[in-house]
Amino acid sequence: MAGRVIVVTSGKGGVGKTTSTANIGTALAKNGAKVALIDTDIGLRNLDILMGLENRIVYTLIDVIEERCKLNQALVKDKKNPNLVLLAAAQTRDKSAISAEQMADICAKLKEDFDFVLVDSPAGIEQGFQNAIAGAEAAIVVTTPEMSAIRDADRIIGLLEAKEEIKSYKLVLNRVRPNMIKTNDMLSVEDVIDILSIKLLGIIPEDENIIVSTNKGEPIVNMENAKAGIAYNNVAKRIMGEDIPFMSMEAPPKLMDKIKSFFFATANS
Amino acid sequence: MLNIIIPEENLINLSDVVSADKMLFELDENIEQTPIQGKVFTVNLGNVYYTAAHINTLKTLLEEHGASINLIVATSVNTQLAAIEAGLTVSEKIPEKTLQTKAENTYETLNNQETEEIQEPTQLKITVDIDQEEASQKQEDQDPQPFETQDIDTEKMLEEFLENEINKEEAEKQNETIEIKPVSKKSYSDNTLYIKQTLRSGRTINYDGNVFIIGDCHPGSEIIASGDINVWGILSGIAHAGSKGDTTASIRALKINAIQLRIANMLSRRPDKLLIEKANKTNNFTPEEAKIENDKIQIFSYNY
């Protein structure tokens, strides 16, 4: 079985790389795929906390590379889904502890056993980022509709384009607020795509439940009726080849608008 | 240029060097002059403060020229701690072997008592007072915190073991113990690393002996000791006592809230359901002790 290695990256910090990795990974596994998640943010690992697997980690990526354990010993199974595993980063080391070649090697090994290998990249464009993209053949660029995040995403897309092995890269637009787009306070989805000229993979609405899910260590796709969860699930389905229409980013009409439209309607008739 | 390499005594004497940058410069120059291929050196760092990064650079430099370090001699406690962090053996004095050649020349009488003292260079007690002021400040901060009691089961078990991991670890440890001779408690009983500092995420303490920490151990920190681990504070990181296979080792803390506890070749983890991410910083802790009983790591409230 030859799976796909997908790196989740953004350039800027705090836009939701790790959240996206955890949720897309969990959603892929829920839809029946075998998924491995790799945290490459050595020294500042978070993916294990989001997945709620912190207390199960014995061996890390570094232990595998330095041959203190076998690869499958370091894979931590998810609490709910046995098809989902996590390879955690070491907390007590830094990015220079591994090289791009070693990372590519591990991705190649995992690819044999899993349908999808999702690599969570650290922020920045230094060694950590280079390691993260080393074994990848596709990339998900995460950004928020803010100029700073978009500028950084543009830089990242440039770096991804320069790397031959990465054949496709798509955008996940995170933390979108329909209300603010409507009042022209936020860049719309179309604006962002115009600026970045990149294909869209998903739109994730801003959702307070994300905070709850992070603190609980339970990905939001496992919560019922959470907007962001549904959006991430759609992203996963699109990755698996299904044709799912994008979520409507129109805000539900407010009461005043309803009354207004009622009056206009009666006036026109 | 100072003459710092003494190949006959296997000694690199850096005690006359005044700063860390000078140290590397001098050493580099000396290495060019003196062949050191294949030698094992005792490095005397004197009273200058070096960080772990400096010591690592020193180590790499020597390794590049085919030499290695077997002992660091330093009088600065911070340097000693840094050297331990860099994984080297540390002493306060130059060991007897190197000293005696000197002693015969300079001092006529070196009485027996003194030699006995010098014979144990690795038995070392370290006190680190890095932020004493900050620590006491913190103590003050903690006190006025709202008074809340948390119910602690007297015998709280940290859930079932990760069987696979344990077996693998066990197998690994058994291999180790065949190579290294089994550790008796006596070998480390009076060897204690004493740290007065809060251990934050990413910090590792790896010590052959007991570890005593005054302060909290935050999640993401890691303490590995071949003896006991004592924490005068809340233990929230990973603690591994008896790392060389001593099953009688134990972990004590004012509050055990650890993500994982490991003793010898056993491992237990914090239950998923138990949401004690944040332990309340009250001032009525019941000290707790984790040790192996009935082939399980169990936590007991500690009272005499």
Side-chain angles (χ1 to χ4, degrees):
Chain A
M1 175 157 60
R4 290 170 67 194
V5 182
I6 305 174
V7 59
V8 181
T9 185
S10 75
K12 191 176 177 296
V15 296
K17 286 177 297 296
T18 307
T19 312
S20 297
T21 312
N23 284 293
I24 295 171
T26 310
L28 284 169
K30 263 185 136 182
N31 287 305
K34 280 191 83 182
V35 184
L37 307 177
I38 310 180
D39 192 349
T40 61
D41 206 345
I42 300 160
L44 291 168
R45 71 175 188 205
N46 288 146
L47 189 54
D48 53 326
I49 299 175
L50 262 71
M51 302 292 298
L53 299 174
E54 198 184 5
N55 55 355
R56 287 170 162 75
I57 295 167
V58 176
Y59 295 117
T60 63
L61 181 61
I62 302 292
D63 293 318
V64 177
I65 282 167
E66 291 175 358
E67 294 181 349
R68 278 192 291 273
C69 71
K70 289 188 189 123
L71 180 57
N72 49 2
Q73 273 178 287
L75 299 177
V76 182
K77 273 206 182 91
D78 184 55
K79 283 182 279 190
K80 289 190 176 161
N81 199 328
N83 279 339
L84 180 63
V85 298
L86 167 72
L87 179 54
Q91 182 68 353
T92 52
R93 303 288 288 274
D94 62 35
K95 309 282 189 288
S96 59
I98 66 169
S99 73
E101 291 78 32
Q102 291 166 328
M103 188 65 208
D105 202 40
I106 286 194
C107 288
K109 275 184 201 159
L110 282 174
K111 215 161 84 170
E112 289 167 13
D113 297 333
F114 293 91
D115 299 317
F116 292 100
V117 179
L118 289 191
V119 184
D120 181 24
S121 141
I125 53 170
E126 295 84 13
Q127 171 90 47
F129 168 73
Q130 297 297 344
N131 290 342
I133 64 168
E137 56 206 63
I140 295 173
V141 180
V142 182
T143 189
T144 57
E146 288 153 21
M147 275 326 290
S148 52
I150 291 167
R151 196 62 54 80
D152 291 359
D154 195 47
R155 175 100 171 87
I156 288 292
I157 295 165
L159 292 173
L160 292 172
E161 275 173 345
K163 198 166 153 59
E164 262 177 44
E165 290 85 0
I166 294 178
K167 285 163 193 101
S168 86
Y169 41 89
K170 286 185 176 172
L171 183 77
V172 166
L173 189 57
N174 201 1
R175 308 190 70 165
V176 176
R177 293 181 171 195
N179 288 332
M180 287 183 74
I181 292 177
K182 204 175 177 191
T183 54
N184 273 333
D185 290 326
M186 185 179 259
L187 290 167
S188 73
V189 180
E190 291 75 25
D191 294 338
V192 178
I193 292 169
D194 274 354
I195 299 169
L196 292 176
S197 45
I198 179 176
K199 274 185 190 159
L200 189 64
L201 182 64
I203 309 162
I204 317 295
E206 172 94 50
D207 193 339
E208 285 181 354
N209 286 322
I210 288 280
I211 298 167
V212 181
S213 111
T214 304
N215 291 345
K216 266 193 186 168
E218 183 71 59
I220 200 165
V221 288
N222 288 340
M223 281 187 188
E224 275 176 29
N225 300 326
K227 263 187 168 180
I230 297 165
Y232 275 124
N233 209 10
N234 288 346
V235 171
K237 282 181 179 166
R238 279 183 211 117
I239 293 173
M240 291 177 91
E242 282 182 50
D243 191 18
I244 310 275
F246 288 104
M247 236 186 215
S248 160
M249 276 299 129
E250 268 171 34
K254 284 181 189 157
L255 184 63
M256 270 309 287
D257 295 341
K258 274 186 189 167
I259 294 166
K260 266 186 206 161
S261 65
F262 174 76
F263 274 109
F264 278 114
T266 45
N268 288 343
S269 63
Chain B
M1 193 184 84
L2 295 163
N3 188 22
I4 54 173
I5 300 179
I6 308 159
E8 310 86 59
E9 294 176 23
N10 284 342
L11 180 74
I12 296 179
N13 189 8
L14 292 163
S15 54
D16 299 329
V17 180
V18 287
S19 77
D21 301 334
K22 268 259 169 62
M23 178 267 282
L24 291 174
F25 174 75
E26 287 285 352
L27 197 62
D28 208 34
E29 278 206 328
N30 267 275
I31 285 171
E32 273 177 28
Q33 309 252 328
T34 329
I36 57 163
Q37 185 75 31
K39 294 230 178 220
V40 182
F41 283 107
T42 300
V43 181
N44 182 8
L45 292 176
N47 195 27
V48 185
Y49 169 51
Y50 295 102
T51 63
H54 288 134
I55 290 166
N56 271 326
T57 322
L58 170 76
K59 208 165 122 188
T60 326
L61 187 70
L62 288 178
E63 274 163 10
E64 270 174 18
H65 290 86
S68 60
I69 303 174
N70 73 340
L71 183 71
I72 293 273
V73 180
T75 43
S76 150
V77 275
N78 287 332
T79 309
Q80 287 172 353
L81 195 66
I84 289 167
E85 216 167 273
L88 292 161
T89 323
V90 180
S91 166
E92 267 177 296
K93 293 169 189 163
I94 298 171
E96 183 222 7
K97 227 194 251 170
T98 335
L99 202 72
Q100 219 168 28
T101 41
K102 253 187 186 175
E104 274 167 8
N105 298 334
T106 49
Y107 305 107
E108 273 192 3
T109 50
L110 191 71
N111 72 41
N112 285 336
Q113 252 186 338
E114 264 180 64
T115 11
E116 255 177 41
E117 266 177 35
I118 300 160
Q119 264 169 354
E120 302 166 38
T122 44
Q123 302 253 324
L124 177 72
K125 291 175 188 177
I126 298 177
T127 316
V128 188
D129 285 52
I130 289 182
D131 277 325
Q132 205 167 8
E133 220 176 303
E134 195 188 281
S136 59
Q137 181 86 42
K138 214 176 153 203
Q139 201 65 45
E140 277 169 30
D141 288 348
Q142 279 176 24
D143 288 335
Q145 287 264 337
F147 201 86
E148 246 178 83
T149 42
Q150 216 174 355
D151 290 330
I152 302 161
D153 301 339
T154 37
E155 286 185 32
K156 171 175 62 182
M157 232 177 64
L158 270 183
E159 245 199 17
E160 83 281 335
F161 309 107
L162 296 177
E163 272 183 35
N164 287 338
E165 265 91 350
I166 295 163
N167 290 342
K168 282 163 201 160
E169 271 205 344
E170 233 163 349
E172 228 177 56
K173 286 279 147 57
Q174 269 162 10
N175 287 342
E176 263 177 41
T177 44
I178 292 163
E179 286 162 23
I180 310 159
K181 49 184 175 177
V183 179
S184 67
K185 194 145 191 163
K186 220 183 166 187
S187 68
Y188 61 73
S189 57
D190 37 355
N191 196 13
T192 300
L193 177 69
Y194 179 83
I195 296 176
K196 202 168 184 180
Q197 209 178 9
T198 304
L199 293 193
R200 296 185 182 276
S201 180
R203 185 82 189 271
T204 330
I205 303 289
N206 195 337
Y207 193 67
D208 189 5
N210 307 307
V211 173
F212 198 105
I213 287 159
I214 304 254
D216 294 344
C217 299
H218 289 185
S221 66
E222 207 174 320
I223 309 163
I224 301 163
S226 58
D228 293 352
I229 294 173
N230 301 290
V231 178
W232 194 275
I234 301 166
L235 172 64
S236 314
I238 293 171
H240 189 174
S243 63
K244 289 194 175 164
D246 181 8
T247 49
T248 60
S250 60
I251 301 166
R252 295 177 208 93
L254 292 189
K255 171 114 191 95
I256 294 183
N257 190 25
I259 282 171
Q260 272 180 16
L261 293 174
R262 305 173 188 167
I263 295 175
N265 48 25
M266 269 191 191
L267 180 149
S268 69
R269 61 180 159 85
R270 191 165 71 191
D272 293 322
K273 288 162 207 157
L274 200 67
L275 272 177
I276 42 171
E277 276 295 325
K278 190 177 147 292
N280 289 317
K281 291 188 177 176
T282 58
N283 51 2
N284 68 333
F285 289 110
T286 313
E288 291 169 294
E289 180 180 34
K291 56 187 173 189
I292 297 181
E293 282 231 354
N294 304 328
D295 289 335
K296 287 173 198 155
I297 297 175
Q298 301 196 11
I299 300 178
F300 302 93
S301 67
Y302 198 85
N303 39 29
Y304 279 110

